[in-house]
């Protein structure tokens, strides 16, 4: 591997399997998460959420609750400290849910209307449940369906084009020998991190100190400073251990409410969301309605490519689930059209959730490719090989590297794809119909300017400080390995400190960009430190520290199509008596840059694929049209894959270092889920002869759709 | 006369007696986390659906969020902080660490406590829904991957670490069986790594009807 910035791999830490640095703390229970740091005089906040989907809060009847034992205060729109949400943060304008208790409007069920703070959590909970809130209710509308009134195409921006178009789609479709025109839906899905969002806030010697569970402590600190009009240097946010995030752990009401309450009460206040509250307060993945039209010649070459996606957002903020973006990277055609539309409804604002856009988008697109392969009578992998683009189909830019076919080749070999009978409904074991399916995966590879500090200590160790977050990815360990190689020392001589906003600006754990962005900054600081150490001399008691800022280097990157790729394979068994779909095995092969720590990377890939299985077969949040709220906002009503749902899943990778990254990283957080649900849906078709275009593929849907053995299917 | 809403109780946790006043509404989970600073036991849902708060009560696994503290007097309670032998990790802990049976780590204490009890339940011959032959005289079924998956399904993991959790439980069960070769315990058949390491392309023995 060559890199542009001269790394070495003398110690070989990068690329060798290492158990997690914090692993012992995690298996012994010693690792403390946000809600677990003790504070003297701690008070407990409990949220009260709206029970109506649209209207106004008429009154919050605090007086009886304030008389209850232990209750310290009841915050609501009538008495809460003012905050200013009219700013652009690191990721743009905030969801107005951060402007908690600033007005009496209620835009959806589960909007925060009050916070009860008490001496104990039991007292706070009982008082919160006793609090009477009166509303003036208005009619609401939460019905999401394809092309419903109110759907619009957002404005294009340079960073995110809503719509792309070239050529004449209708003409090319008309000229195509084979056409697929199919509609797909995916349901509302929730991140459901096992650790609920939690924050403890206190004022400490004139500084606001927040112990939180988040994906970016600098991000949260910066937005808290903006919201409360504070000097950024006076806000410190820490988040040492994070019990899962998946896109949901940004700036959310719990942090703001903890700050409000500690400001009012002059003592530390902890606010922990309940599982039920998480369903309306931390974002979710929008349901989608998608239409894919593909037109091809008989040899499989695409003439027309059209992917139209629709998602929903709230009435207070525009968030777009960019499901149609995947085709801009994957497939070219003479006429090419993609669009992401959105409709505002009386529901909470969706947000990023693991592989935003590509997760639902790949289900529709990679299912449609499989349908096209079926119609042409072509192997699905050969169809994809036929349509490999030389450059970005929309951008025209070259790919930094594109090893999707290598993934398919390796995956097909290991999965035994060559032995597959392409006809559906031909394999049966007792009451089980068996089938296999495949799909492509891709996710963008990005990097964001970050800062890091590396200190040479007098005892021969090195301390790395960076506002990274380890949300379960293994980032802490990966960064220590990167530092070890950069400094040419054994990993045991690296001490790494992360997730403290005092360490300076850095990328969040998100978009598969965390470890790449942080690793780059650590490489740069380590290089600077080594140059200082070459000068010789004793190390002073405070050590010698070098700092880096990758802003200039990152912005100097040439414009290219930069992505990870992969190939997903699945085998399913479909019970013809119950309609149950069981996944028997999955295999994912990825081309996702240099793999820093094979042990944790494999876990992350398999975790993503497990999400794909869960998305294909299980996950579905149901809203009640009458109330506007969820039915069963808990783990019984919202089932994600349990142990018994998950078979042996294997993940591996092909060599694919990014030549423009100092470590060679591309990022691996999202790509495991991309295409996984489509591979399973395609396998269900192969087993049964029936296409399932609506997720999840529930037993009732399978039973109602029936099965069509080979020979009885459509020509 | 006002009814008392709190009591002083004594809990036996990890071999130590703790006397503390508790609100009668306090769950065992909150008593551990908020009153005894034993925060290794996690709160994922607070309603018995996720298993993150699993502890051992009188040697059996239980979700501590559905157990009132005041009803826990006189019980022998073991939490994640009490399963290691001093500095030496319990074999289940060691296997989770070595095989990366976790990611964020939040469900991990519950998974480990659950696995410890699960291995004993299996060794004692308790059947599960995945057991083919449930007759008492059949004895303990082979501890296959399917048996582990079924028996560990009360512990949710959102990171999706189930594949390595199953491997870790299998490895720990084998290690424990090797340490205590009692006649009633059998781990024959395709248990653990042998079963799991078969190459992709062969079928899992999962659903042969």
């Amino acid at each position: 591997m060559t890199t542009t910035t001269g790394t070495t791999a003398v110690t070989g830490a990068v690329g060798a399997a290492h158990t997690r640095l914090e692993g012992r703390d995690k298996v012994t229970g010693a690792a403390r998460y946000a809600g677990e740091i003790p504070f003297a005089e701690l008070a407990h906040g409990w949220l009260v959420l709206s029970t109506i989907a649209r209207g106004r809060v008429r009154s919050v009847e605090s007086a009886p609750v304030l008389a209850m034992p232990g209750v310290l205060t009841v915050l609501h729109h009538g008495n809460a400290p003012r905050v200013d949400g009219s700013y652009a943060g690191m990721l743009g304008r905030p969801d107005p849910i951060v402007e908690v208790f600033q007005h009496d409007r209620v835009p959806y069920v589960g909007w925060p209307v009050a916070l009860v703070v008490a001496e104990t959590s039991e007292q706070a909970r009982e008082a919160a449940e006793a609090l009477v809130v009166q509303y003036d209710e208005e009619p609401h509308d939460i019905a999401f369906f394809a092309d419903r009134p109110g759907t619009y195409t957002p404005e294009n921006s340079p960073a995110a084009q809503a719509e792309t178009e070239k050529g004449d789609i209708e003409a090319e479709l008309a000229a195509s020998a084979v056409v697929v025109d199919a509609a797909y839906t995916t349901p509302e899905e929730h991140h459901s991190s096992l650790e609920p969002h939690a924050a403890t806030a206190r004022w400490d010697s004139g500084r606001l100190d927040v112990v939180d569970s988040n994906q970016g402590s600098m991000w949260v600190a910066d937005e808290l400073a903006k919201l409360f009009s504070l000097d950024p240097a006076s806000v410190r946010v820490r988040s040492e251990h994070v019990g899962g995030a998946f896109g949901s752990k940004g700036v959310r009401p719990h942090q703001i409410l903890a700050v409000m309450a500690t400001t009012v009460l002059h003592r530390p206040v902890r606010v922990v969301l309940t599982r039920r509250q998480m369903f309306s307060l931390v974002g979710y993945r929008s349901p989608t309605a998608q239409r894919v039209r593909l037109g091809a010649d008989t040899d499989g070459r695409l003439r027309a490519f059209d992917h139209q996606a629709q998602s929903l957002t709230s009435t207070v903020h525009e968030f777009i689930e960019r499901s149609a973006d995947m085709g801009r990277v994957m497939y070219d055609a003479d006429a090419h059209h993609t669009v992401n539309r959105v409709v505002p409804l009386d529901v909470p604002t969706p947000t990023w959730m693991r592989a935003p856009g590509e997760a639902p988008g790949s289900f529709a697109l990679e299912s449609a490719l499989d349908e096209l392969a079926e119609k042409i009578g072509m192997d699905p992998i050969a169809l994809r090989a036929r349509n490999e683009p030389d450059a970005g189909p929309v951008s025209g830019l070259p790919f930094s590297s594109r090893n999707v076919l290598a993934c398919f080749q390796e995956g097909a070999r290991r999965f035994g794809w060559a032995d597959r009978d392409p006809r559906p409904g031909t394999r049966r074991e007792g009451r089980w119909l068996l089938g296999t399916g495949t799909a492509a995966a891709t996710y963008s590879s990005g990097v964001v300017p970050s800062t890091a500090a590396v200190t040479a200590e007098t005892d021969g160790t090195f301390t790395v400080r960076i506002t990274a977050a380890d949300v379960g990815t293994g980032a802490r360990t990966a960064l220590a390995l990167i530092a070890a190689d950069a400094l040419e020392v054994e990993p045991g001589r690296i001490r790494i400190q992360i997730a403290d906003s005092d360490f300076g600006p850095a990328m969040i754990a998100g978009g598969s960009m965390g470890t790449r962005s942080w690793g780059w900054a650590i490489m740069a600081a380590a290089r600077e430190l080594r140059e200082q150490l070459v000068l010789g001399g004793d190390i002073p008691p405070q050590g010698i520290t070098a700092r880096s800022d990758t802003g200039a280097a990152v912005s100097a990157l040439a414009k290219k199509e930069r992505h990870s790729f992969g190939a997903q394979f699945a085998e399913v068994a479909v019970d013809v008596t119950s309609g149950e779909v069981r996944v028997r095995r999955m295999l994912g092969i990825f081309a996702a840059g240099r793999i820093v720590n094979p042990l944790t990377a494999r876990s992350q890939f398999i975790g993503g694929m497990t999400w794909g299985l869960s998305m294909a077969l299980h996950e579905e949040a149901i809203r009640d049209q009458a109330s506007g709220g969820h039915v069963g906002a808990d783990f019984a009503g919202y089932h994600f894959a349990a142990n018994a749902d998950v078979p042996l899943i294997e993940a591996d990778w092909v060599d694919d270092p990014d030549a423009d990254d100092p470590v060679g990283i591309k990022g691996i957080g999202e790509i495991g889920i991309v295409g996984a649900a489509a591979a399973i849906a395609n396998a269900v078709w192969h087993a049964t002869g029936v296409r399932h275009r609506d997720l999840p593929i529930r037993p009732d849907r399978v039973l109602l759709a029936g099965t069509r053995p080979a020979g009885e299917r459509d020509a | 006369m006002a009814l008392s809403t709190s009591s002083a109780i004594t809990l036996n946790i990890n071999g130590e007696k703790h006397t503390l006043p508790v609100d009668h509404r306090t769950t065992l989970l909150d008593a551990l986390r908020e009153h005894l600073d034993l925060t290794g036991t996690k709160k994922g849902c607070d309603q018995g659906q996720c298993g993150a708060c699993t502890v051992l009560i009188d040697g059996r696994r239980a979700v501590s969020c559905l157990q009132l503290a005041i009803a826990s007097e006189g019980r022998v309670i073991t939490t994640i902080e009490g399963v290691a032998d001093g500095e030496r990790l319990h074999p289940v802990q060691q296997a989770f660490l070595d095989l990366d049976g976790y990611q964020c780590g939040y469900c991990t204490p519950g998974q480990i406590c659950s696995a410890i009890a699960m291995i004993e339940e299996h060794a004692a011959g308790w059947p599960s829904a995945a057991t083919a032959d449930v007759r008492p005289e059949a004895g303990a079924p082979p501890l296959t991957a399917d048996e582990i998956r079924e028996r560990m399904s009360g512990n949710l993991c959102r990171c999706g670490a189930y594949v390595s959790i199953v491997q870790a439980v299998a490895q720990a069960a084998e290690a424990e069986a090797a340490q205590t070769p009692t006649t009633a315990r059998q781990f024959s058949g395709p248990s653990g790594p042998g079963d799991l390491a078969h190459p992709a392309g062969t079928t899992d023995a999962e659903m042969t009807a």
Side-chain angles (χ1 to χ4, degrees):
Chain A
M1 192 194 87
T2 56
T3 67
T4 54
T5 39
T7 181
T8 55
V10 170
T11 61
V14 170
H18 288 261
T19 58
R20 291 168 201 260
L21 295 177
E22 77 286 7
R24 191 179 175 91
D25 285 348
K26 282 182 173 174
V27 301
T28 57
R32 283 186 190 263
Y33 294 73
E36 301 172 347
I37 314 288
F39 288 97
E41 296 296 303
L42 180 68
H44 299 261
W46 202 283
L47 258 164
V48 179
L49 306 184
S50 71
T51 54
I52 66 162
R54 188 178 179 91
R56 289 181 186 279
V57 176
R58 189 163 70 233
S59 63
V60 177
E61 299 178 4
S62 321
V65 161
L66 286 166
M68 291 176 72
V71 174
L72 300 166
T73 189
V74 178
L75 296 177
H76 52 81
H77 71 276
N79 65 0
R82 297 297 96 185
V83 295
D84 180 2
S86 61
Y87 61 85
M90 188 173 167
L91 298 176
R93 291 290 306 272
D95 180 346
I97 198 172
V98 303
E99 295 176 285
V100 194
F101 305 160
Q102 300 300 299
H103 55 76
D104 63 355
R105 292 278 335 162
V106 174
Y108 47 79
V109 171
W111 175 261
V113 294
L115 181 81
V116 178
V117 189
E119 297 283 353
T120 72
S121 62
E122 291 86 359
Q123 291 166 338
R125 177 181 189 171
E126 180 157 351
E129 287 171 357
L131 183 69
V132 173
V133 179
Q134 305 281 2
Y135 302 94
D136 291 323
E137 197 169 353
E138 298 164 14
H140 63 261
D141 184 355
I142 64 158
F144 178 79
F145 51 90
D147 302 321
R148 66 148 288 158
T151 304
Y152 65 91
T153 303
E155 299 211 354
N156 276 330
S157 74
Q161 285 179 285
E163 186 160 19
T164 65
E165 196 160 20
K166 73 172 178 186
D168 185 337
I169 286 282
E170 303 303 331
E172 291 297 336
L173 281 171
S176 295
V178 185
V179 171
V180 167
D181 181 353
Y184 303 86
T185 68
T186 62
E188 176 179 329
E189 296 159 350
H190 286 259
H191 309 77
S192 307
S193 63
L194 249 285
E195 181 207 19
H197 296 54
T200 306
R202 61 175 180 150
W203 285 96
D204 179 27
S205 310
R207 291 191 84 197
L208 179 62
D209 182 28
V210 180
V211 176
D212 187 29
S213 175
N214 66 49
Q215 293 174 234
S217 289
M218 190 68 210
W219 175 31
V220 173
D222 177 62
E223 299 219 7
L224 288 178
K226 289 183 163 86
L227 276 164
F228 288 93
S229 303
L230 299 168
D231 174 1
S234 70
V235 181
R236 183 186 192 190
V237 176
R238 288 172 288 167
S239 176
E240 186 179 3
H241 296 291
V242 182
F246 314 113
S248 76
K249 283 185 174 164
V251 186
R252 290 287 155 188
H254 65 293
Q255 298 128 339
I256 296 133
L257 292 169
V259 174
M260 285 182 175
T262 194
T263 303
V264 168
L265 294 171
H266 306 290
R267 58 189 280 190
V269 177
R270 176 179 297 158
V271 178
V272 183
L273 302 186
T274 68
R275 178 57 53 186
R276 192 169 291 276
Q277 289 169 350
M278 287 173 68
F279 278 83
S280 70
L281 293 178
V282 305
Y284 59 98
R285 196 196 305 281
S286 167
T288 70
Q290 304 178 56
R291 183 182 184 192
V292 180
R293 294 190 296 170
L294 304 174
D297 293 333
T298 50
D299 67 353
R301 191 183 67 87
L302 284 169
R303 299 180 71 106
F305 179 99
D306 182 23
H307 191 168
Q308 304 175 38
Q310 177 187 326
S311 60
L312 59 70
T313 190
S314 67
T315 59
V316 296
H317 189 67
E318 183 187 84
F319 179 87
I320 316 290
E321 181 75 19
R322 309 184 56 82
S323 304
D325 282 11
M326 186 172 169
R328 300 174 187 175
V329 173
M330 286 306 295
Y331 305 111
D332 204 354
D334 300 322
H336 196 283
H337 176 240
T338 64
V339 63
N340 296 296
R341 299 193 181 97
V342 68
V343 58
L345 298 170
D346 297 314
V347 295
T349 314
T351 192
W352 305 277
M353 179 164 143
R354 201 168 195 174
E358 272 79 357
S362 65
F363 164 65
L365 178 53
E366 292 300 304
S367 293
L369 260 288
D370 204 68
E371 298 198 37
L372 183 64
E374 176 201 352
K375 280 197 165 183
I376 297 175
M378 191 171 182
D379 179 77
I381 297 175
L383 175 64
R384 289 173 174 90
R386 177 71 43 84
N387 286 289
E388 267 291 278
D390 297 326
V394 171
S395 70
L397 292 169
F399 288 95
S400 63
S401 62
R402 183 180 168 107
N403 285 317
V404 64
L405 292 186
C407 294
F408 272 114
Q409 282 157 12
E410 173 67 4
R413 183 185 69 75
R414 289 176 55 170
F415 193 77
W417 187 260
D419 301 331
R420 178 184 192 250
D421 181 341
R423 295 170 302 155
T426 55
R427 288 173 65 204
R428 187 165 184 140
E429 276 180 14
R431 66 178 201 269
W432 298 97
L433 291 171
L434 308 182
T436 53
T438 189
T442 187
Y443 200 78
S444 65
S445 168
V447 58
V448 171
S450 298
T451 66
V454 181
T455 302
E457 309 285 2
T458 52
D459 63 358
T461 65
F462 296 86
T463 304
V464 177
R465 292 181 179 85
I466 185 163
T467 314
D470 192 333
V471 296
T473 57
R476 181 187 279 107
T477 311
L479 296 179
L481 301 180
I482 289 168
D485 275 5
L487 294 161
E488 296 188 29
V489 300
E490 292 304 314
R493 283 169 65 189
I494 305 293
R495 292 188 229 162
I496 181 149
Q497 298 179 16
I498 62 170
D500 183 335
S501 62
D502 277 0
F503 297 157
M507 179 52 182
I508 65 164
S512 296
M513 291 183 269
T515 296
R516 181 172 176 209
S517 301
W518 307 320
W520 194 326
I522 289 170
M523 291 290 290
R527 190 175 59 245
E528 168 72 23
L529 180 64
R530 290 184 64 186
E531 283 171 13
Q532 292 185 31
L533 293 177
V534 162
L535 301 175
D538 289 340
I539 294 176
Q542 74 274 19
I544 297 174
T545 297
R547 297 176 201 283
S548 67
D549 182 339
T550 60
V554 166
S555 57
L557 270 180
K559 267 188 83 102
K560 284 181 186 172
E561 291 280 357
R562 300 177 184 276
H563 310 273
S564 294
F565 294 93
Q568 304 268 11
F569 294 84
E571 178 171 7
V572 304
V574 182
D575 185 337
V576 295
T577 58
S578 71
E580 183 184 14
V581 176
R582 300 281 302 174
V583 178
R584 286 195 158 188
R585 60 186 174 115
M586 293 175 77
L587 171 68
I589 303 290
F590 301 96
R594 189 168 179 212
I595 299 304
V596 177
N597 184 353
L599 181 70
T600 55
R602 183 166 278 113
S603 293
Q604 216 176 350
F605 285 129
I606 291 174
M609 294 168 71
T610 302
W611 271 57
L613 182 159
S614 193
M615 173 184 172
L617 302 181
H618 303 300
E619 292 181 42
E620 179 176 33
I622 307 287
R623 282 187 180 274
D624 170 36
Q625 302 288 326
S627 72
H630 285 114
V631 178
D634 55 43
F635 287 154
Y638 187 81
H639 177 71
F640 61 80
N643 205 321
D645 297 314
V646 178
L648 181 64
I649 297 177
E650 292 184 307
D652 213 336
W653 44 87
V654 298
D655 196 34
D656 181 53
D658 186 311
D660 293 334
D661 182 83
V663 189
I665 298 172
K666 278 190 175 177
I668 61 171
E670 336 270 336
I671 194 165
I673 187 176
V674 181
I680 291 167
N682 294 340
V684 171
W685 166 78
H686 188 229
T688 64
V690 176
R691 290 286 171 188
H692 285 270
R693 302 186 181 92
D694 304 293
L695 294 186
I697 307 174
R698 299 187 313 247
D700 61 305
R701 285 176 164 158
V702 173
L703 281 183
L704 282 171
T707 58
R708 285 186 294 165
E712 295 173 29
R713 62 203 168 97
D714 296 338
Chain B
M1 182 189 105
L3 288 170
S4 168
T5 58
S6 66
S7 301
I9 62 169
T10 300
L11 296 177
N12 179 350
I13 302 166
N14 301 331
E16 276 183 50
K17 295 255 186 349
H18 300 264
T19 299
L20 66 158
V22 294
D23 189 315
H24 293 163
R25 297 167 294 191
T26 303
T27 61
L28 175 58
L29 174 60
D30 285 340
L32 293 169
R33 288 169 59 84
E34 293 182 15
H35 299 281
L36 298 169
D37 201 32
L38 290 168
T39 55
T41 306
K42 304 304 182 192
K43 183 187 283 190
C45 72
D46 212 19
Q47 54 187 143
Q49 294 174 336
C50 77
C53 65
T54 302
V55 298
L56 305 178
I57 300 180
D58 296 334
R60 292 189 182 172
R61 46 183 171 166
V63 284
S64 58
C65 71
L66 297 187
Q67 173 85 12
L68 290 171
I70 196 168
S72 306
E73 275 202 300
R75 316 289 294 274
V76 177
I77 298 158
T78 305
T79 70
I80 189 68
E81 290 92 346
V83 302
D85 179 9
E87 286 299 298
R88 199 165 64 90
L89 294 179
H90 187 282
V92 174
Q93 291 175 307
Q94 190 66 52
F96 270 70
L97 179 58
D98 292 342
L99 299 179
D100 211 40
Y102 56 167
Q103 288 177 40
C104 79
Y106 199 76
C107 73
T108 310
Q111 300 274 3
I112 289 171
C113 286
S114 192
I116 289 169
M118 187 224 90
I119 291 168
E120 290 182 14
E121 289 162 17
H122 169 264
W126 294 20
S128 81
T131 305
D133 187 349
V134 297
R135 292 171 305 142
E137 58 269 32
L143 191 54
T144 60
D146 275 353
E147 282 281 358
I148 296 171
R149 289 176 188 132
E150 173 63 30
R151 292 165 188 262
M152 290 298 293
S153 277
N155 292 82
L156 296 175
C157 167
R158 184 47 160 168
C159 296
Y162 297 126
V163 172
S164 50
I165 288 171
V166 171
Q167 291 167 341
V169 173
Q171 177 173 301
E174 284 189 344
E176 287 187 44
Q179 278 181 358
T180 52
T182 44
T183 48
R185 302 185 175 194
Q186 65 176 77
F187 294 97
S188 58
S191 68
D195 171 41
L196 291 156
H198 67 66
T202 63
T203 52
D204 213 28
E206 185 139 34
M207 284 156 296
T208 3

